[in-house]
Amino acid sequence: MKLNRLLIVFLGILSFNAKAQLGTPKDTFTHADTLRGNIYSPFRTCYDINYYHLDVKFDIDNKFISGNVLFKYTATQDFTQLQFDLYDNLKIEKVVYKGAEVPYRREANAVFVTFPTTINKGSKNEFMVYYSGNPTIAKNAPWDGGVVYKKDSLNKPWVATACQGDGASIWWPNKDQQADEVDSALISISVPTGLKDVSNGRLRKVTDLGNGYTQFDWFVANPINNYDIEANIGDYTHFSDTYDGEKGKLSLDYWVLPYHLEQAKKQFGANVKRMLQSHEHWFGPYPFYEDGYKLIETPHLGMEHQSGIAYGNHYMNGYLGMDLSHTGWGLKFDYIIIHESGHEWFGNNITSKDLADMWIHESFTDYSESLFVETFYGKQAGQEYVHGLRNGIANDRPIVGPYGVNKEGAEDMYDKGSVILNMVRTIINDDEKWRSILRGLNKTFYHQTVTYNDIVNYISDHSGQNLKPVFDQYLHYTNLPVLYITNRKGKLYCMWTGCIPDFNMPIRIRMKGGEYKYFTPKATNGRGPVSSRVQPTLINIPGINKDNVEVDTFNYYIGVLID
């Protein structure tokens, strides 16, 4: 999901201060942050979650939920104690193992269960958590997590969950980390009779419970991350379609408020199949054919809930009617449909293990917008769109966050991340190879959780170029590298400054009006534009001089200094 954009124009920085760029000194982390963010805690790595069954009742009038969650898991080692997570404003009624209650203790929002005997490595086991309470109310979803309680324009209840960042344990107990995705899940949501619940996957059964409530059972056949699991409750109406995709017929299901039905048919019809055409072309087959594709109208802007995209863009093109690129191209499509659906490939199919690497979700998905523009309006249009996103870059914090404390990096993971990927494409200089890399990522890491190095190394290996220094510079540091061009005895030379010592990015340079040529300058090791230890690179283009040299700053996000 894209957060609010900051319109901050970057001023080039020539000097490189690693100490200043690496840290965010104002950030302080608590033991609770570590309990939540440490994906390698032995109390979490000791078990592999296989299956959840959520059975949750929503008492909308009292903003109260109650129910139970079944955990099925495989032990990865011998243990007697494991951790799951549930916000401490929700009460645990009991934890049941083999028909008997077992002891547990709370520490912040972490819960540690102790079993009566050793759980042996390789064994399959299960336990049930019963809980209830008033979950956090999301006041400004999806930017703050919790449950959204609103009314539609006919004064009927309209409720939704949205919990990315804050975590799924804000409304149901689970192993709340991204590193271990559950293999499948049954989501049973009970709502006041007369309303409907729409959750992930496929609807299996609707049951009148006879007590004023109706239960909706949705089954997810594919691995899913916790924050994607959703409940959407309202007076919904349904219509459907199919798409002839790369893996056959894909079911398209739409759940909207009845009085928006005609608007939805028009807007979804104009965007969804074009989105699938573009995204499958660039990224490979839609990753969840078994669970289908859904759009669900919600009382918040939107979220990439797997196989059930939350949609609240008011049936407008752009981002609530705005073009975030300021180029005109952003009004050619419905931002929420294109962007949030892009997360089905990056975020849902490929999921970062640690929240610090959320750039893997957001950078590629933000980039999918420009690829959509390119698919239907040409490469130049797509390049213009991504270039226009620079207006939203702040360069205030590193894109990669601190590891192990459940902390995202900077919001620049969106716009700057998209610009970086377009720049990497320019460096590779082979569009079919680039497309094969994007598709290869989704095939190689299909339904997997990944690390920073998994993604960066894959792109480097399959491009045939060492791109790690490029990613390291732009993702871990805020200042832009500067290409320093100097005249020495009538010849032009160049080198990189304001960057990490091993920065090795090839750059396109030409004489105005000519063809671009690639050069690979060396870096000055952060000592400014003059360094006796670095041999500058000759710009060997006949007739070039300081007055007619031109660097490709349209596709490269850099500073240029000509001396």
Side-chain angles (χ1 to χ4, degrees):
M1 181 62 209
K2 186 179 300 256
L3 307 183
N4 296 323
R5 304 288 189 118
L6 297 175
L7 301 180
I8 298 177
V9 178
F10 175 79
L11 299 177
I13 300 173
L14 292 182
S15 62
F16 178 74
N17 185 323
K19 183 177 181 180
Q21 300 303 327
L22 267 175
T24 48
K26 294 181 181 179
D27 287 336
T28 56
F29 301 106
T30 66
H31 182 53
D33 295 323
T34 302
L35 286 172
R36 172 68 193 284
N38 183 8
I39 63 176
Y40 301 110
S41 162
F43 301 110
R44 283 174 151 179
T45 58
C46 66
Y47 72 109
D48 174 25
I49 190 70
N50 304 137
Y51 174 82
Y52 289 123
H53 178 197
L54 288 72
D55 186 353
V56 183
K57 174 183 175 182
F58 279 75
D59 178 350
I60 296 173
D61 289 341
N62 295 302
K63 298 180 174 58
F64 185 85
I65 62 175
S66 59
N68 56 75
V69 175
L70 172 67
F71 291 63
K72 289 188 175 183
Y73 66 89
T74 302
T76 61
Q77 61 191 59
D78 292 350
F79 69 90
T80 58
Q81 190 176 86
L82 61 71
Q83 175 189 340
F84 69 84
D85 304 277
L86 183 68
Y87 273 59
D88 61 8
N89 59 307
L90 295 173
K91 178 185 178 183
I92 296 177
E93 307 286 350
K94 58 185 175 180
V95 180
V96 175
Y97 170 69
K98 292 188 175 180
E101 291 188 38
V102 292
Y104 65 88
R105 65 179 175 87
R106 274 189 176 272
E107 197 171 339
N109 296 325
V111 182
F112 296 88
V113 179
T114 301
F115 295 93
T117 58
T118 298
I119 306 296
N120 294 318
K121 179 179 179 180
S123 65
K124 293 184 179 296
N125 277 277
E126 61 185 61
F127 63 94
M128 184 91 78
V129 179
Y130 294 81
Y131 77 109
S132 63
N134 297 94
T136 301
I137 297 174
K139 301 295 185 182
N140 187 31
W143 296 285
D144 63 337
V147 180
V148 182
Y149 293 98
K150 289 190 177 180
K151 297 288 184 75
D152 66 19
S153 62
L154 299 180
N155 206 37
K156 295 182 179 180
W158 197 14
V159 178
T161 58
C163 57
Q164 185 185 18
D166 292 294
S169 54
I170 205 168
W171 72 279
W172 61 282
N174 60 89
K175 184 180 181 181
D176 207 0
Q177 55 157 285
Q178 293 178 182
D180 184 10
E181 292 186 339
V182 71
D183 300 324
S184 62
L186 178 62
I187 306 164
S188 301
I189 304 295
S190 299
V191 302
T193 297
L195 300 175
K196 298 180 179 70
D197 168 69
V198 187
S199 295
N200 317 79
R202 296 193 183 275
L203 183 61
R204 279 192 164 179
K205 185 169 62 172
V206 179
T207 305
D208 184 349
L209 299 178
N211 59 355
Y213 279 81
T214 302
Q215 180 174 292
F216 294 81
D217 291 345
W218 296 85
F219 183 71
V220 181
N222 289 288
I224 187 170
N225 62 56
N226 296 323
Y227 73 76
D228 272 340
I229 291 179
E230 63 186 328
N232 299 288
I233 303 164
D235 180 30
Y236 285 116
T237 191
H238 169 250
F239 67 101
S240 62
D241 199 353
T242 59
Y243 176 73
D244 293 324
E246 291 194 13
K247 289 178 68 175
K249 284 196 178 297
L250 173 64
S251 62
L252 309 177
D253 289 280
Y254 307 119
W255 296 82
V256 301
L257 299 179
Y259 49 83
H260 288 156
L261 180 60
E262 293 308 314
Q263 285 178 277
K265 286 182 177 179
K266 181 179 178 181
Q267 187 73 354
F268 296 172
N271 283 272
V272 171
K273 290 186 179 180
R274 293 204 306 159
M275 173 277 296
L276 288 165
Q277 179 184 339
S278 179
H279 287 4
E280 284 206 329
H281 171 79
W282 288 103
F283 301 146
Y286 175 73
F288 308 107
Y289 271 73
E290 300 84 355
D291 292 322
Y293 173 89
K294 290 197 296 292
L295 282 178
I296 307 160
E297 187 175 6
T298 55
H300 60 86
L301 180 60
M303 182 54 64
E304 64 263 24
H305 297 144
Q306 182 175 308
S307 70
I309 303 297
Y311 176 84
N313 204 37
H314 304 304
Y315 305 101
M316 297 187 291
N317 278 359
Y319 178 93
L320 293 173
M322 299 178 291
D323 176 10
L324 297 177
S325 74
H326 307 283
T327 63
W329 296 117
L331 297 178
K332 299 290 187 181
F333 60 90
D334 187 314
Y335 172 88
I336 291 297
I337 293 175
I338 306 309
H339 179 93
E340 303 305 342
S341 299
H343 278 302
E344 296 281 44
W345 285 262
F346 291 96
N348 300 345
N349 184 39
I350 301 173
T351 305
S352 67
K353 290 183 182 293
D354 195 296
L355 203 65
D357 281 324
M358 286 295 286
W359 67 274
I360 295 169
H361 299 204
E362 301 299 352
S363 298
F364 285 93
T365 301
D366 202 89
Y367 182 59
S368 74
E369 302 159 27
S370 68
L371 293 177
F372 176 88
V373 172
E374 176 174 337
T375 298
F376 296 102
Y377 305 102
K379 183 175 180 179
Q380 181 60 28
Q383 299 286 343
E384 290 172 3
Y385 179 87
V386 72
H387 185 270
L389 296 179
R390 296 185 187 189
N391 289 321
I393 299 175
N395 283 316
D396 57 344
R397 292 189 299 121
I399 288 175
V400 174
Y403 290 99
V405 290
N406 199 55
K407 176 75 172 177
E408 294 181 5
E411 188 179 329
D412 278 350
M413 71 178 78
Y414 296 89
D415 291 341
K416 187 176 178 182
S418 181
V419 168
I420 293 166
L421 291 174
N422 184 65
M423 192 165 58
V424 168
R425 175 189 186 176
T426 304
I427 294 167
I428 293 172
N429 194 32
D430 184 331
D431 287 349
E432 277 308 304
K433 179 182 283 189
W434 178 234
R435 187 168 80 97
S436 73
I437 288 171
L438 297 175
R439 291 174 65 95
L441 284 166
N442 279 279
K443 182 177 181 180
T444 300
F445 301 111
Y446 183 73
H447 292 176
Q448 293 182 35
T449 61
V450 299
T451 65
Y452 178 98
N453 284 335
D454 288 333
I455 299 302
V456 172
N457 290 344
Y458 182 93
I459 296 174
S460 288
D461 291 345
H462 289 80
S463 68
Q465 299 185 53
N466 177 20
L467 295 168
K468 188 175 186 302
V470 176
F471 281 102
D472 288 349
Q473 172 66 42
Y474 282 93
L475 295 176
H476 289 287
Y477 304 100
T478 59
N479 58 303
L480 295 187
V482 175
L483 184 69
Y484 175 64
I485 297 175
T486 183
N487 187 318
R488 295 186 180 183
K489 297 181 180 180
K491 294 182 179 180
L492 289 189
Y493 293 83
C494 61
M495 64 183 75
W496 289 113
T497 187
C499 52
I500 58 177
D502 59 346
F503 190 68
N504 64 344
M505 184 168 70
I507 184 66
R508 300 205 313 170
I509 303 174
R510 69 180 178 183
M511 187 167 64
K512 289 179 182 178
E515 295 292 324
Y516 278 117
K517 184 176 179 180
Y518 282 84
F519 297 90
T520 306
K522 295 180 180 179
T524 63
N525 300 324
R527 287 185 290 274
V530 178
S531 171
S532 60
R533 298 185 185 181
V534 174
Q535 181 63 40
T537 298
L538 174 66
I539 305 175
N540 57 340
I541 298 176
I544 200 165
N545 57 53
K546 290 197 298 182
D547 297 322
N548 63 21
V549 64
E550 190 172 83
V551 180
D552 182 8
T553 55
F554 184 79
N555 292 297
Y556 285 86
Y557 187 49
I558 60 172
V560 177
L561 175 64
I562 301 176
D563 183 8

